[in-house]
């Protein structure tokens, strides 16, 4: 019986290996390391060898304390890996924040599929995987020609663990330009560029790809029969437990470097590609209206080196004075991609008030995203922002709906671990915040929206 699942969780800011107990559906161990792009190659890229060393060391250490029964994988999106015939890298794994692909934007725009086909908005830098591949093929034709398979990022790690090459729809369907969620099948771009033959076979997220390679069993001490599951995109990992256990309508807000909002059973709306709305594909293969902004990155930039303490007096002062942070600190994506951030008023803001206003800003950006995708019912917040009471309370005020702060430290790990079991998940657990009775909170949300519209 599979009880303890080690989840390899490669986020943009941090890489983690968590041990999830499927009996309690909780994390019992978590190891973490900072993740950052390397610049010692032809372009900024992910240091997969450093990450691999961390993964192997973590699996070994965790298994010494508690038997690992299975391994699952989840990673950030917008990342493809070009592997050669021996399973090595044909080219370094491009960091999607690298702006190089923008150099070929005009040429790429002429061949990419329409939003109606893929549900993919046109995004800057390498946020569309199609743009990455187009740029790599143009600039490194000899290396690109060595490519034997194109893998999404979770399945690259699965290949290293099992030797089995695969792809999976949640990563293929994450604003890549490569997937048509309505068919479902590869998009016209894949055939136009001749890449279909390079695409590893598409397997369900919960497929057992195989056991770990014998050499890894010896290195880590794991049982040689330890199964490895195909894995999935991290925001969809956060969504999966709720797809299994919760009744629509509801929304899931996955927070990390990106804040990704996903609506299940919500109101029908026309998605606006210019405001970073998109169609994700969930682990069951179904399209999911989604929107996102780089909220975790904005939080880090705004709070870097500054106190994060606050008091009720700070909250009262911000609400009374109407201290507003307007979007966007991180430009180029999100619902206001071309707005320049500014403070209103800009002077005489204490550190505590500043932190309150930052938390409110992030909640109001999230509420905007939920509105753009027709979100309805409770919003379930996964990840770091679930622990920010200012965020959850303002989100409840701005949406006039309950907000559930997930108890899991890493919602992505729980979802990825559930790939290893056929039994249902436990429904949404965590503190529920209802819209505040104090109308000042809703008034603040309306004032923020009005100021954004006027800017």
């Amino acid at each position: 019986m599979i009880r303890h699942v080690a989840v390899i969780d490669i986020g943009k800011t941090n890489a983690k290996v968590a041990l999830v107990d499927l009996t309690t559906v909780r994390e019992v161990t978590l190891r973490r390391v900072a993740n950052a792009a390397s610049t010692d190659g032809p372009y900024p890229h992910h240091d997969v060898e450093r990450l691999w060393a961390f993964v192997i060391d973590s699996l070994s250490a965790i298994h010494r304390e508690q038997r690992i029964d299975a391994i699952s994988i989840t990673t950030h999106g917008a990342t493809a890996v070009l592997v050669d015939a021996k399973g090595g890298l044909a080219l370094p794994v491009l960091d999607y924040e690298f702006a190089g692909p923008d150099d070929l934007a005009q040429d790429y725009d002429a061949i990419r599929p329409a939003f109606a086909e893929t549900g993919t908005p046109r995004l800057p830098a390498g946020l569309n995987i199609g743009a990455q591949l187009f740029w790599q093929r143009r600039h490194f034709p000899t290396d690109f020609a060595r490519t034997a398979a194109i893998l999404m990022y979770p399945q690259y790690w699965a290949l290293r663990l099992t030797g089995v090459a695969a792809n999976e729809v949640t990563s293929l369907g994450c604003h890549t330009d490569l997937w048509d969620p309505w068919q479902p099948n590869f998009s016209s771009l894949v055939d136009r560029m001749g890449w279909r033959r390079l695409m590893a076979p598409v397997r369900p997220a919960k497929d057992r790809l195989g056991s770990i390679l014998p050499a890894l069993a010896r290195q880590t001490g794991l049982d040689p029969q330890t199964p490895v599951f195909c894995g999935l995109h991290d925001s969809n990992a956060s969504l999966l437990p709720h797809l299994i256990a919760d009744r629509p309508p509801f929304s899931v807000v996955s927070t990390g470097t990106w804040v990704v909002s996903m609506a299940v059973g919500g109101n029908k709306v026309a998605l606006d590609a210019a405001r970073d709305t998109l169609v994700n594909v969930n682990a069951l293969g179904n399209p999911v209206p989604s929107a996102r902004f780089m909220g975790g990155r904005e939080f880090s930039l705004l709070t870097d080196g500054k106190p994060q303490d606050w008091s009720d007096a700070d909250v009262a002062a911000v609400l009374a004075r109407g201290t507003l942070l307007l979007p966007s600190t991180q430009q180029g994506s999100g619902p206001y991609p071309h707005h320049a951030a500014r403070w209103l008023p800009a002077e005489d803001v204490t550190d505590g008030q500043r932190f309150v206003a930052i938390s409110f800003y992030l909640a109001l950006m999230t509420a905007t995203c939920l509105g753009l995708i027709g979100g309805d019912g409770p919003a379930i917040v996964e990840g770091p922002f679930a622990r920010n009471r200012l965020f959850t309370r303002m989100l409840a005020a701005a949406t006039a709906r309950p907000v559930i702060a997930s108890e899991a430290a890493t919602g992505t790990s729980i979802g990825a671990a559930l790939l290893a079991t056929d039994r249902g998940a436990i429904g949404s657990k965590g503190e529920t915040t209802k819209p505040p009775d104090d109308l000042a909170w809703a008034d603040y949300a309306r004032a923020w929206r009005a100021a954004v519209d006027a800017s």
Side-chain angles (χ1 to χ4, degrees):
M1 182 183 99
I2 294 176
R3 175 175 176 178
H4 291 106
V5 181
V7 176
I8 299 166
D9 183 351
I10 310 295
K12 192 63 168 61
T13 305
N14 295 289
K16 301 169 280 290
V17 177
L19 188 69
V20 176
D21 186 335
L22 291 177
T23 302
T24 59
V25 196
R26 291 180 180 275
E27 298 160 1
V28 293
T29 302
L30 179 64
R31 291 171 62 92
R32 183 191 308 261
V33 68
N35 191 15
S38 295
T39 57
D40 60 348
Y43 48 77
H45 62 278
H46 298 294
D47 188 348
V48 294
E49 295 309 320
R50 185 179 70 86
L51 291 171
W52 180 244
F54 163 73
V55 167
I56 295 303
D57 178 68
S58 296
L59 292 174
S60 302
I62 291 171
H63 186 68
R64 286 195 294 269
E65 300 297 326
Q66 175 64 64
R67 174 187 167 87
I68 293 173
D69 300 315
I71 299 172
S72 189
I73 307 157
T74 184
T75 77
H76 61 78
T79 304
V81 185
L82 309 178
V83 297
D84 61 24
K86 295 182 179 180
L89 297 184
L91 278 164
V93 182
L94 188 144
D95 173 19
Y96 64 64
E97 293 186 72
F98 171 53
D102 288 338
D103 296 342
L104 300 177
Q106 186 173 355
D107 291 347
Y108 180 67
D109 289 347
I111 61 148
R112 67 181 295 268
F115 183 75
E117 178 186 339
T118 63
T120 295
R122 182 65 170 105
L123 300 172
L127 284 165
N128 298 130
I129 287 182
Q132 293 183 30
L133 299 176
F134 186 81
W135 183 87
Q136 287 173 307
R137 193 179 84 155
R138 180 76 65 86
H139 283 273
F140 305 95
T142 302
D143 293 311
F144 195 94
R146 294 175 47 240
T147 301
I150 298 174
L151 309 177
M152 298 298 101
Y153 206 28
Q155 287 70 51
Y156 167 70
W157 299 106
L159 173 70
R160 294 196 68 159
L161 289 165
T162 67
V164 177
N167 271 314
E168 185 274 334
V169 295
T170 62
S171 293
L172 283 169
C174 178
H175 52 79
T176 65
D177 278 334
L178 304 177
W179 191 251
D180 180 341
W182 317 113
Q183 290 304 317
N185 205 338
F186 289 108
S187 74
S188 58
L189 175 69
V190 174
D191 290 320
R192 187 174 298 122
M193 299 302 298
W195 293 337
R196 185 179 287 263
R197 64 182 178 81
L198 299 176
M199 293 293 176
V202 178
R203 303 274 294 269
K206 68 185 291 94
D207 262 18
R208 175 174 170 164
L209 294 185
S211 301
I212 60 170
L213 293 167
L216 295 180
R218 292 190 295 271
Q219 186 175 358
T220 61
L222 271 68
D223 188 311
Q225 299 305 311
T226 303
V228 178
F229 292 84
C230 187
L232 74 174
H233 171 238
D234 54 10
S235 297
N236 274 284
S238 294
L239 178 62
L240 181 58
H242 308 290
L243 287 177
I244 296 172
D246 293 332
R247 178 177 297 179
F250 62 85
S251 300
V252 171
V253 178
S254 174
T255 69
T257 302
W258 291 91
V259 174
V260 181
S261 298
M262 296 164 281
V264 178
N267 302 309
K268 291 190 179 299
V269 294
L271 298 181
D272 185 349
R275 302 189 69 184
D276 214 349
T277 65
L278 62 148
V279 177
N280 267 305
V281 180
N282 68 31
L284 307 180
N286 300 320
V288 180
S290 306
R292 83 280 163 73
F293 71 105
M294 221 170 188
R297 176 66 55 76
E298 291 191 317
F299 179 83
S300 296
L301 291 171
L302 289 163
T303 61
D304 184 34
K306 296 180 174 62
Q308 298 184 20
D309 299 321
W310 58 277
S311 66
D312 289 341
D314 292 324
V315 174
V318 169
L319 291 174
R321 191 183 186 207
T323 303
L324 306 175
L325 172 57
L326 303 185
S328 294
T329 302
Q330 191 77 17
Q331 294 180 286
S333 59
Y336 304 104
H338 306 301
H339 283 55
R342 62 193 179 103
W343 285 87
L344 294 176
E347 64 282 341
D348 300 327
V349 179
T350 68
D351 287 337
Q353 293 166 12
R354 177 185 171 86
F355 184 79
V356 170
I358 290 168
S359 299
F360 286 177
Y361 159 78
L362 296 168
L364 292 164
M365 288 284 281
T366 303
T368 301
C369 289
L370 289 170
L372 289 171
I373 60 175
D376 197 7
I380 303 147
V381 181
E382 301 275 5
F385 286 7
R387 299 187 290 275
N388 185 332
R389 291 189 292 115
L390 297 168
F391 175 88
T392 55
R393 195 173 186 199
M394 181 53 76
L395 183 59
T399 60
R401 297 191 301 273
V403 173
I404 301 171
S406 174
E407 293 179 349
T410 312
T412 53
S413 297
I414 299 296
L418 289 173
L419 298 178
T421 181
D422 290 326
R423 67 181 182 84
I426 297 173
S428 297
K429 295 180 64 179
E431 181 180 352
T432 298
T433 300
K434 294 181 179 180
D437 293 331
D438 184 350
L439 296 180
W441 290 72
D443 289 342
Y444 183 98
R446 281 190 289 270
W448 185 87
R449 285 191 289 262
V452 172
D453 290 342
S455 64

